[in-house]
Amino acid sequence: MAALSECRLAGKLTRNIAKALPSTQSAIASRSLSRKYAPIGNCTAKTVQAVCRRGLSTAPRLSSQLRCYHSQFHPPLPTHEYTNSQTAILSAALKHIPDHGFTNRALMLGARDMGFLDVSIQLFPRQEMDLILFWLASRRGLLRSKVENGLFEGKEQLGVDGKVKALILERLKMNNEIIHRWQDALALMSFPSNIPLSLSELHSLSSDILYLAGDASIDASWYTKRLSLSTLYASSEVIMTRDSSPDYSYTEGFVERRFEDNGALGDKVGGVKSYLGFMAGTAVGLGRSWGLKI
């Protein structure tokens, strides 16, 4: 019995050592213990070493984690592609935006118009943001249709810069009927979870405008032009939300001046800060109106 208890004691010691020490040190300790306790009755040196190996196999180890430094490992942005039913509801909801804004109420009315139940708005996980994204994507499609249907026919003398300016103004005109609702939309777009999709849509718009204008840059200016155009358009859109002049002539003049000051598509990015600052300020104001202590 004494030999058996000592054998068990040796097993406990080796397991504790295996958990507490690195593998090399625990191996040395197990060999010294095997010399000390073997042979003890039926507990031989091989038994002690086997117990030690079992202790090593059950000892906790640090799990290696894949560190995704490279962009191909980053998770993609959430898509905003829609099924036929979702597209039908969103398309019908667009006409309710001037009266109800980018809200669940507009989505619900769109669902009713298409013969769906009110609970059908649960098809949209992002709710109001889905309506905003659909509005932005549909306006980009409408802009492409205008160019394909002859927007620039007989205006070949405009050049790339002239066409870009014309497309910016054409896109801004599409906001005329909902501009009184656009500040609320900007507030929703400025929420942290919505910023990636909002910036993605802004980049898509600038890329579409440059492509439709005939820009064929393949050097570093491909990036700077899109950044500058995104800045210019975003700034113009913010100005338009505050413009009370007839036919938004002040906004049109602002676009004209920006093209003159920046030499068409310059690489100044100060407007990005003002745009993001406006979105952040609007979000704070909206939160305070909801009773949040911000």
Side-chain angles (χ1 to χ4, degrees), residues 102-143:
F102 295 88
T103 60
N104 284 340
R105 178 65 179 172
L107 280 173
M108 189 180 300
L109 292 174
R112 290 178 183 176
D113 292 345
M114 300 307 298
F116 292 94
L117 298 175
D118 291 351
V119 295
S120 299
I121 64 173
Q122 299 301 322
L123 293 171
F124 306 100
R126 291 182 290 261
Q127 300 290 306
E128 299 95 336
M129 189 61 190
D130 276 315
L131 185 56
I132 294 174
L133 292 173
F134 189 80
W135 166 265
L136 295 173
S138 62
R139 298 311 96 176
R140 286 194 291 112
L142 183 58
L143 192 64

Side-chain angles (χ1 to χ4, degrees), residues 178-188 238 241-242 278 282:
I178 56 93
I179 196 62
H180 59 292
R181 302 290 185 180
W182 196 239
Q183 283 195 2
D184 294 337
L186 289 176
L188 287 172
V238 172
T241 61
R242 305 172 180 176
F278 171 82
T282 305

Side-chain angles (χ1 to χ4, degrees), residues 169-217:
L169 294 175
E170 190 68 30
R171 174 60 185 87
L172 289 172
K173 289 178 183 178
M174 297 179 186
N175 285 346
N176 285 356
E177 60 181 2
I178 56 93
I179 196 62
H180 59 292
R181 302 290 185 180
W182 196 239
Q183 283 195 2
D184 294 337
L186 289 176
L188 287 172
M189 293 164 66
S190 66
F191 286 178
S193 59
N194 296 333
I195 287 177
L197 283 172
S198 303
L199 294 180
S200 176
E201 267 298 327
L202 182 60
H203 169 75
S204 297
L205 174 63
S206 63
S207 193
D208 282 358
I209 288 177
L210 285 168
Y211 172 76
L212 295 173
D215 180 72
S217 301

